[in-house]
Amino acid sequence: MNGASGSGQSLGLDTLIRLKRDRRSSSAAGAIGSFPVPEGMTAPLGCDAVAVPARLGPLVVPRLPRVGCVYADGTHWWWIVPTDSDDALTWPAPARYSLGAPLPGTARLIHRPEGTVPYTPPIPLYLALCRVTGTTPEWSRPLSA
């Protein structure tokens, strides 16, 4: 006997995050598909999306240093961000973070950036959304006892 009880294995942070993501991504199974990456662009970091009500979209744009691909329909704008841009962030309501960038059937591309990557940088997007929604960024909130 080697003196170890149980499996003797522990799960690393990467494994726990992957398990959480796998569990959450099953809830997006009813989506039509992912937002298409425009021709000539690549998404080396994968794609997720941040949806905001259409009325907020024009308020967010001037606050960003770079605007990536943005899709829209009559009610929402979807900002393409790298996969895992929700790690350690709770996006401010009414924004919704969507794993795998599920595509609503009525959405169309309204902004394509220069270059070959479709991403809006997630931290500036998060801060811009906090600003337009009047939300204090998560890291600026007091810790509760």
Side-chain angles (χ1 to χ4, degrees):
M1 182 164 256
N2 63 10
S5 62
S7 69
Q9 295 179 344
S10 61
L11 297 176
L13 183 58
D14 289 340
T15 301
L16 292 172
I17 290 171
R18 188 179 73 250
L19 290 171
K20 176 181 132 188
R21 180 161 295 281
D22 289 347
R23 184 175 47 89
R24 286 175 41 199
S25 65
S26 65
S27 66
I32 295 171
S34 294
F35 286 98
V37 174
E39 188 174 330
M41 298 189 103
T42 61
L45 302 175
C47 290
D48 286 346
V50 178
V52 301
R55 65 182 165 73
L56 296 179
L59 301 174
V60 171
V61 170
R63 298 176 187 279
L64 295 172
R66 179 184 193 280
V67 178
C69 287
V70 181
Y71 292 81
D73 64 12
T75 60
H76 290 88
W77 285 25
W78 289 268
W79 307 81
I80 302 303
V81 295
T83 297
D84 293 330
S85 294
D86 63 334
D87 277 353
L89 283 179
T90 301
W91 289 79
R96 289 179 322 203
Y97 190 88
S98 301
L99 298 172
L103 173 66
T106 57
R108 68 187 197 302
L109 183 67
I110 62 168
H111 183 267
R112 179 195 167 134
E114 295 293 323
T116 61
V117 293
Y119 308 122
T120 295
I123 297 301
L125 178 59
Y126 172 81
L127 291 172
L129 287 168
C130 284
R131 180 69 138 191
V132 301
T133 62
T135 304
T136 301
E138 210 165 73
W139 54 77
S140 297
R141 296 179 191 149
L143 296 175
S144 58

